[in-house]
Amino acid sequence: MKTTDQINTAARKIAAARHSVALTGAGISVESGIPPFRGKGGLWEKIDPMKYAHIQYFLADPADVWRVLLKEMKTLLKTATPNAGHMGLARLEQMGLLKTIITQNIDGLHQRAGNTDVIEFHGNFADYYCIDCRLRQKFDDIDLRSLPPRCACGGVIRPDCVFFGETIPVNLLLRSREIASCCDLMLVVGTSAVVQPAAFMPAIAKDHGALVIEINPEPTPLTHTVSDILIQGKAGAVMTALIAELERLRS
Ligand code: NAD
């Protein structure tokens, strides 16, 4: 099927769905200038995220993780703004066509675009805390002149995100599973669908009868197995075209 036909089919399905949700990954933020882990231009080409984003390595050498991964991310996130992919999902919510986003991203861009129900499966880089006294710290208050940054108590400061090797907060996991099993349509945007348990959510949705629509320039392990449609393209262009078709169907 041609991409325009896929977009028209997807728009009709979204318009007819009772309860649509989205699962997003790093790919949706690529057009905002934040590199993904995997794929072309991904951080994986420069560093091994399984090392630098793993809790054991952070605890062993927090200065190195701050130097190589966290400092760069902190700088990138400061300047990044939502792109057409995020804005498209926000517009879907405004149109009453999207209830919830489950995101693996830690960049806060869905909320900045205007989505109101966002489950941050892996936490958020806007929030930090001391690993010893647990005092919460704000992004802009952290002094990076000496690494790792430390709390007044002397403890190392870490982002409030889920590193590889850590478990997803149980309330977020349970709510995501509930949402995946209740939806009748799931949009899966910009995820390589290899990081578990997030990658299970489309399978749960499918198992409960939902239609699964993927938006990604590349096929993933979900393609042809779990997803019903892969719209092969960048999130910004595909979401813009989808919204235009949905607006046309409404007019
Ligand atoms: P991933 O890095 O494993 O895969 C990125 C996916 O996005 C690939 O499938 C790629 O083909 C696709 N992609 C690339 N450009 C795209 C575009 N313009 N539009 C749509 N799709 C595009 O991402 P993941 O599956 O989310 O897993 C990585 C983990 O890394 C997650 O746990 C996440 O927490 C973390 N991460 C987050 C950010 C962020 O918050 N922006 C950035 C890097 C990594």
Side-chain angles (χ1 to χ4, degrees), residues 24-31 34-39 43 73 104-107 122 164 189-195 215-218 220 233-235:
T24 65
I28 196 169
S29 296
V30 166
E31 291 161 83
I34 305 172
F37 274 175
R38 297 170 196 79
L43 287 174
M73 270 293 190
Q104 299 166 82
N105 296 345
I106 43 68
D107 54 32
H122 294 160
F164 289 126
V189 191
T191 174
S192 59
V194 296
V195 179
I215 299 172
N216 198 311
E218 308 289 339
T220 75
K234 293 184 177 179

Side-chain angles (χ1 to χ4, degrees), residues 25-123:
I28 196 169
S29 296
V30 166
E31 291 161 83
S32 294
I34 305 172
F37 274 175
R38 297 170 196 79
K40 204 161 163 276
L43 287 174
W44 216 283
E45 287 174 359
K46 291 196 282 178
I47 61 163
D48 178 1
M50 286 307 283
K51 174 180 172 187
Y52 283 98
H54 201 288
I55 188 62
Q56 276 177 9
Y57 189 63
F58 179 79
L59 293 175
D61 195 346
D64 198 28
V65 175
W66 267 102
R67 188 178 53 77
V68 173
L69 183 67
L70 301 180
K71 206 173 163 184
E72 183 182 351
M73 270 293 190
K74 190 172 181 295
T75 312
L76 276 172
L77 297 186
K78 215 173 166 142
T79 49
T81 53
N83 65 55
H86 302 104
M87 298 313 289
L89 290 180
R91 180 73 188 122
L92 275 187
E93 182 183 315
Q94 278 171 6
M95 294 169 87
L97 298 173
L98 183 71
K99 303 274 191 226
T100 304
I101 297 177
I102 304 166
T103 189
Q104 299 166 82
N105 296 345
I106 43 68
D107 54 32
L109 292 180
H110 288 305
Q111 294 91 323
R112 281 175 58 193
N115 286 99
T116 57
D117 189 19
V118 181
I119 300 176
E120 292 181 306
F121 212 70
H122 294 160

Side-chain angles (χ1 to χ4, degrees), residues 180-225:
S181 56
C182 290
C183 70
D184 61 350
L185 189 146
M186 182 178 277
L187 282 174
V188 181
V189 191
T191 174
S192 59
V194 296
V195 179
Q196 299 294 2
F200 272 134
M201 299 305 147
I204 293 173
K206 178 80 175 177
D207 208 38
H208 286 77
L211 187 85
V212 177
I213 301 173
E214 260 190 292
I215 299 172
N216 198 311
E218 308 289 339
T220 75
L222 302 176
T223 311
H224 308 306
T225 54

